[in-house]
């Protein structure tokens, strides 16, 4: 009964109204997912979560580790446009487990054109030059529709076919990088057939000159949040899970004073396991549902009002715990109507030998290029 009350409490926390939060997609890099094994299973991993990456997928799953483990992942997202990296350490104990995870996403060569356009007006004639009669000079009182000196870029507009529009000085374009990072510290404990876990996470984003950590960014953001997770062994062949990310809303504060909030996400998952061929073959089938409360509408598979839902499905077949094949379906979005209600195919494989695990995952995307993930795990 006590376990039921705990599950109900998490569900109640997850149903906070979207009106309490102000921004969609804040710190969205944390929703990409870590680990090639989980990635190949479409991200349906909250009830599987039996390796060190549990610190991300379900902190309670860290109790399933039997030995200390180190994990590394590199992902080339969307044709290597986005670089996504992950480092994790997990350590099990008697009834308690601990873990530390570091996530980094980087996007380089972003054109920064704020100071690169000529604010000369739609006629694109330098102020004071022949032909500049001053009629388009901006003045908030006498000429609020003026485009020269209004502080915004006014490109060519077919409504005014005789005016070329303001130009861009390509030599003044700066190329900057966006670096987004998160540090997760995980604690998990077993209570009978129930495991419970929590993350404390520090989030940092920097936009500026290229650097490994983005510490010298012109625009910087810091945030702090908490994740909660439960894992319950219903039968030896069946596990169920509930994970509440950003449990009380994660506050993100920018150096210019802007504040965003990353809203809670409730994930409910189940996984079933079967053995065959004298226990030499293991089959895993899993499904997760991500519930969000920020009105994602057509950016999700299913939506009604502020509530949206995305379904993930994955499977794994392993032989002697040495070779594994995986497949899954993860939520996607179409670039044309009808939007939403789409899935991308994920595939992957893994090898395990003497405490070393090598995993690979591939995923397609309906709009962007393919994504490849490679993970390496070591048992200590």
């Amino acid at each position: 009964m006590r376990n039921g009350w705990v599950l109900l409490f998490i569900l109640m926390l997850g149903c906070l109204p979207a009106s309490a939060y102000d921004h969609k997609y804040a710190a969205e890099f944390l929703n990409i997912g870590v680990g090639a094994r989980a990635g190949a299973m479409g991200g349906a991993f909250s009830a599987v979560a039996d390796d060190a990456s549990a610190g991300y997928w379900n902190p309670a799953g860290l109790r399933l580790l039997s030995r200390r483990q180190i994990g590394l992942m590199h992902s080339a997202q969307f044709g290597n446009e986005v670089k996504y990296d992950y480092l994790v350490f997990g350590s099990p104990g008697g009834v308690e487990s601990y873990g530390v995870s570091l996530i980094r996403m980087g996007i380089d060569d972003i054109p920064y054109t704020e100071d690169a356009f000529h604010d000369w007006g739609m006629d694109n004639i330098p102020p004071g030059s022949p032909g500049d009669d001053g009629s388009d000079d901006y003045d908030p009182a006498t000429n609020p529709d003026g485009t020269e000196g209004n502080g915004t870029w006014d490109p060519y507009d077919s409504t005014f076919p005789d005016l070329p529009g303001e130009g861009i000085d390509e030599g003044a374009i700066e190329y900057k990088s966006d670096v987004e990072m998160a540090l997760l510290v995980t604690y998990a404990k077993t209570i009978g057939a129930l495991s419970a876990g929590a993350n404390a996470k520090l989030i940092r984003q920097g936009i500026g000159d290229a650097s490994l950590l983005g510490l010298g960014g012109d625009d910087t953001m810091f945030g702090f949040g908490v994740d909660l997770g439960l894992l319950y062994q219903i039968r030896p062949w069946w596990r169920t899970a509930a994970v509440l990310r950003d449990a009380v809303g994660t506050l993100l504060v920018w150096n210019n004073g802007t504040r965003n909030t990353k809203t809670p996400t409730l994930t409910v998952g189940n996984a079933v396991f079967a053995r065959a061929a004298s226990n030499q073959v293991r089959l895993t089938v899993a499904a997760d549902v991500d519930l969000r409360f920020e009105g994602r509408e057509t950016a999700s598979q299913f939506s009604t009002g502020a509530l949206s839902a995305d379904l993930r499905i994955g499977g794994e077949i392993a032989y002697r715990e040495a070779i594994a094949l995986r497949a899954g379906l993860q939520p996607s979005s179409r670039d044309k109507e009808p939007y939403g209600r789409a899935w991308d195919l994920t595939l992957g494989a893994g090898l395990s030998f003497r405490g070393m695990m090598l995993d690979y995952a591939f995923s397609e995307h309906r709009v962007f290029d393919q994504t490849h993930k490679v993970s390496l795990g070591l048992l200590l």
Side-chain angles (χ1 to χ4, degrees):
M1 176 62 70
R2 182 176 63 178
N3 293 346
W5 281 109
V6 175
L7 282 168
L8 179 61
F9 175 69
I10 285 219
L11 288 169
M12 291 172 62
L13 281 176
C15 294
L16 292 171
S19 58
Y21 304 98
D22 55 358
H23 287 89
K24 302 180 193 179
Y25 315 116
E28 186 69 9
F29 79 102
L30 287 175
N31 294 331
I32 292 176
V34 303
R37 181 185 174 208
M41 296 176 65
F45 212 67
S46 68
V48 180
D50 57 1
D51 58 29
S53 70
Y56 171 88
W57 293 103
N58 183 347
L62 215 57
R63 289 299 303 139
L64 298 177
L65 266 66
S66 58
R67 294 170 58 181
R68 289 181 296 172
Q69 184 176 338
I70 293 176
L72 304 166
M73 183 206 74
H74 174 70
S75 174
Q77 299 277 132
F78 311 135
N80 209 32
E81 292 292 332
V82 179
K83 299 174 179 63
Y84 199 76
D85 298 286
Y86 174 63
L87 172 65
V88 62
F89 171 74
S91 178
V95 294
E96 300 175 325
S97 298
Y98 305 89
V100 179
S101 309
L102 181 65
I103 300 171
R104 179 191 185 275
M105 186 190 78
I107 305 174
D108 297 323
D109 298 325
I110 302 172
Y112 199 75
T113 61
E114 183 178 18
D115 300 320
F117 76 94
H118 301 299
D119 198 7
W120 296 343
M122 291 289 291
D123 59 12
N124 203 34
I125 300 175
S129 299
D132 180 39
D133 58 9
S135 62
D136 63 345
D137 292 356
Y138 171 77
D139 186 284
T142 62
N143 191 17
D145 295 327
T147 55
E148 182 176 314
N150 64 356
T152 61
W153 182 48
D154 301 292
Y156 173 77
D157 186 339
S158 60
T159 307
F160 308 97
D162 297 331
L163 299 178
E166 292 176 335
I168 293 289
D169 181 0
E170 294 187 4
I173 296 176
E174 299 180 68
Y175 291 89
K176 301 191 176 185
S177 296
D178 173 29
V179 177
E180 305 181 32
M181 303 185 67
L183 176 67
L184 284 67
V185 179
T186 306
Y187 171 79
K189 185 173 183 177
T190 298
I191 309 170
L194 177 73
S195 295
N199 285 329
K201 60 186 179 186
L202 180 65
I203 304 169
R204 202 266 181 199
Q205 181 176 0
I207 302 173
D209 295 334
S211 65
L212 179 63
L213 301 179
L215 296 178
D218 302 320
D219 302 296
T220 58
M221 174 272 286
F222 285 93
F224 179 80
V226 176
D227 304 329
L228 304 174
L230 292 175
L231 195 64
Y232 186 65
Q233 193 79 42
I234 298 176
R235 297 285 187 272
W237 49 270
W238 180 13
R239 282 200 297 264
T240 189
V243 182
L244 187 64
R245 294 186 177 89
D246 308 290
V248 293
T250 295
L251 180 64
L252 310 171
V253 182
W254 290 85
N255 61 340
N256 63 2
T258 300
R259 294 178 173 229
N260 304 142
T261 302
K262 184 169 178 61
T263 64
T265 298
L266 176 65
T267 298
V268 179
N270 283 272
V272 294
F273 312 90
R275 293 275 181 176
S278 301
N279 285 331
Q280 295 188 91
V281 175
R282 173 178 54 80
L283 176 64
T284 301
V285 178
D288 282 6
V289 177
D290 298 328
L291 301 173
R292 295 183 174 88
F293 309 90
E294 57 185 18
R296 293 206 170 194
E297 299 178 349
T298 56
S300 62
Q301 291 177 313
F302 309 97
S303 178
T304 175
L307 176 65
S308 63
D310 292 294
L311 174 65
R312 302 173 181 272
I313 302 171
E316 176 184 54
I317 183 167
Y319 177 69
R320 291 188 174 181
E321 303 298 339
I323 302 174
L325 297 176
R326 305 173 184 117
L329 294 172
Q330 65 182 7
S332 184
S333 58
R334 300 183 178 94
D335 60 348
K336 58 185 178 181
E337 294 185 356
Y339 301 107
R341 300 194 181 186
W343 282 269
D344 287 335
L345 176 67
T346 61
L347 298 170
L351 297 173
S352 179
F353 180 72
R354 294 186 177 180
M356 178 181 295
M357 294 83 71
L358 179 64
D359 297 299
Y360 167 76
F362 160 88
S363 63
E364 61 176 4
H365 196 279
R366 293 175 178 269
V367 180
F368 302 108
D369 288 338
Q370 301 164 346
T371 291
H372 303 270
K373 295 182 179 181
V374 177
S375 292
L376 177 65
L378 297 173
L379 296 176
L380 304 178

